[in-house]
Amino acid sequence: MVYFNVPPCTGDEMAFIEQAIQNHKICGDGPFTKQCNAWLETRFSAQKALLTTSGTTALDMALLLCDLKPGDEVILPSYTFSSTATAPVLAGANLVFADIRPDTMNMDETRLEEAITDKTKVIIVMHYAGVACEMDTIMDIARRHRLIVVEDAAQGVMSAYKGKALGTIGDFGCYSFHETKNYSMGEGGALLIRDRIYNERAEILREKGTDRSKFYRGQIDKYTWVDIGDSYLPSELNAAYLWAQLLKADKINENRMDSWNRYYEALKPLADQGKIDLPAVPDGCIHNAHMFWIKCRDLKERTELIDFLKTGGGVFRISLYSAAQCSGGEKVWAVQWQ
Ligand SMILES: *Cc1c(COP(=O)(O)O)cnc(C)c1O
């Protein structure tokens, strides 16, 4: 049996959660949150990392920091998770969907420029399955048109593009630590900020529109409501769980890569015969084995394959045989394993 997803657990999570309880600090921004932020900053050479309550709220924060006005346009890929779209909608912008490329399923950088108008303010890219978008081209287009780039790197923690960690290339990077992602805290995420001019407003948005973060650092003697905001701080209990995961980040990554490579080798003969398509990892991209996907030739074959895999008692069962039954038509339908 191959389960769709097994939440990662290293064995140290309970001890850290107990420590948080014994510290009498279970709300946000305690020692575990700070350690996680610092780990992300160091490991990925990020100017600033702030844990959030989810990948979705990291995106919400990023789009609020873009300071959008009604009528502004945000370009995003046509193939992505709903949170990539809800964040700009909540920030008051209009959505413009850009086409994707068939090999990586990422935004097609050669079609991006045609989506830009004089109302465009932001480009959101999403690194599908932890494989990077063509960031050199995208950043060049963004710079020429003076656009902000937000990376939805929810699936891309520990992935890199030409030596740079995903999430650190654009103006903002958004990670998810949801149960289904490579590193987890149950529900959670992080916002990465490239330019320090955004740090102060990010802290305020995250702390219910108050300057409480400054107060805790002793920079002001009382805190007050200064801006819009929300509560984007995760509990220390969740951060303690994540801390255990980050300490074993390389081990978790190697384990996933082993599985990914095994799927790839096993399914490659079918791809060579033209029966299915496998994920492409372009030169310069280091991926994190976030998920393994295949593309069947059409909806009918995909439906049959999924139905067959489901006969394994409600969980997906990899079957080379059923995939081998594929025949004819255009390959556009994806099945994915995480
Ligand atoms: C998981 C995911 C999100 C949302 O993350 P949550 O932590 O579940 O809110 C956003 N974008 C993409 C591409 C994702 O895969």
Side-chain angles (χ1 to χ4, degrees):
M1 290 292 186
V2 179
Y3 291 91
F4 180 65
N5 175 69
V6 180
C9 187
T10 67
D12 299 325
E13 286 81 357
M14 274 313 286
F16 290 143
I17 290 169
E18 259 183 65
Q19 206 175 308
I21 295 167
Q22 275 156 19
N23 289 345
H24 302 297
K25 179 75 183 172
I26 59 171
C27 70
D29 277 346
F32 284 107
T33 303
K34 289 194 175 121
Q35 284 181 134
C36 291
N37 290 343
W39 189 95
L40 294 170
E41 287 165 7
T42 308
R43 175 80 193 218
F44 302 132
S45 302
Q47 183 272 132
K48 186 89 183 161
L50 293 168
L51 285 195
T52 58
T53 46
S54 64
T56 304
T57 53
L59 283 160
D60 290 348
M61 277 185 74
L63 270 295
L64 286 178
L65 289 166
C66 295
D67 217 9
L68 297 166
K69 314 262 175 309
D72 286 348
E73 291 176 358
V74 173
I75 298 174
L76 67 160
S78 55
Y79 182 65
T80 186
F81 188 65
S82 58
S83 310
T84 323
T86 51
V89 169
L90 285 170
N94 295 338
L95 305 182
V96 176
F97 290 97
D99 220 335
I100 58 156
R101 27 189 280 188
D103 59 342
T104 57
M105 308 293 277
N106 282 333
M107 180 183 273
D108 184 345
E109 68 282 357
T110 65
R111 305 280 309 274
L112 172 58
E113 212 150 7
E114 66 197 53
I116 296 174
T117 71
D118 55 5
K119 299 210 173 88
T120 309
K121 292 283 156 30
V122 179
I123 300 166
I124 313 181
V125 296
M126 192 277 277
H127 306 293
Y128 182 59
V131 176
C133 298
E134 194 44 57
M135 291 307 288
D136 278 353
T137 310
I138 292 167
M139 293 307 292
D140 176 60
I141 293 170
R143 248 177 243 122
R144 282 193 282 108
H145 294 270
R146 298 178 186 282
L147 305 176
I148 299 173
V149 174
V150 176
E151 292 178 76
D152 180 344
Q155 304 181 2
V157 181
M158 295 282 277
S159 295
Y161 172 83
K162 300 189 180 173
K164 288 185 195 149
L166 299 193
T168 66
I169 304 163
D171 299 273
F172 302 106
C174 304
Y175 287 162
S176 169
F177 300 118
H178 183 260
E179 175 185 291
T180 52
K181 299 304 200 286
N182 292 26
Y183 307 94
S184 181
M185 51 197 285
E187 299 277 355
L191 174 69
L192 271 52
I193 303 172
R194 198 183 59 194
D195 190 330
R196 65 182 66 251
I197 61 164
Y198 292 108
N199 289 3
E200 186 172 336
R201 183 143 196 255
E203 284 181 349
I204 290 167
L205 290 175
R206 186 164 165 274
E207 268 284 16
K208 303 98 185 160
T210 73
D211 51 6
R212 182 146 68 177
S213 300
K214 265 187 168 171
F215 171 73
Y216 280 141
R217 283 197 297 271
Q219 292 166 322
I220 44 176
D221 61 4
K222 55 182 179 299
Y223 75 87
T224 181
W225 177 39
V226 292
D227 198 346
I228 59 161
D230 211 319
S231 185
Y232 297 124
L233 296 77
S235 157
E236 275 287 282
L237 300 175
N238 299 68
Y241 191 101
L242 181 66
W243 181 240
Q245 308 253 307
L246 295 182
L247 289 179
K248 300 260 169 74
D250 289 301
K251 206 163 162 250
I252 292 171
N253 198 45
E254 283 160 27
N255 183 306
R256 296 188 78 101
M257 287 307 291
D258 279 352
S259 303
W260 196 97
N261 289 332
R262 216 171 303 155
Y263 291 143
Y264 196 90
E265 288 311 314
L267 294 165
K268 192 155 185 306
L270 294 175
D272 290 343
Q273 292 162 34
K275 290 175 174 158
I276 55 169
D277 278 350
L278 295 180
V281 181
D283 286 346
C285 298
I286 294 176
H287 74 103
N288 62 355
H290 173 61
M291 67 168 89
F292 198 93
W293 56 265
I294 64 167
K295 266 192 271 177
C296 299
R297 279 185 257 209
D298 54 33
L299 180 57
K300 185 172 161 286
E301 279 186 2
R302 187 190 71 157
T303 308
E304 283 169 10
L305 175 59
I306 290 175
D307 286 346
F308 181 81
L309 296 173
K310 276 184 183 160
T311 59
V315 295
F316 282 177
R317 189 153 59 94
I318 306 257
S319 164
L320 298 183
Y321 177 75
S322 73
Q325 298 302 302
C326 301
S327 67
E330 209 193 335
K331 293 174 253 177
V332 284
W333 303 98
V335 180
Q336 63 192 34
W337 291 272
Q338 280 180 319

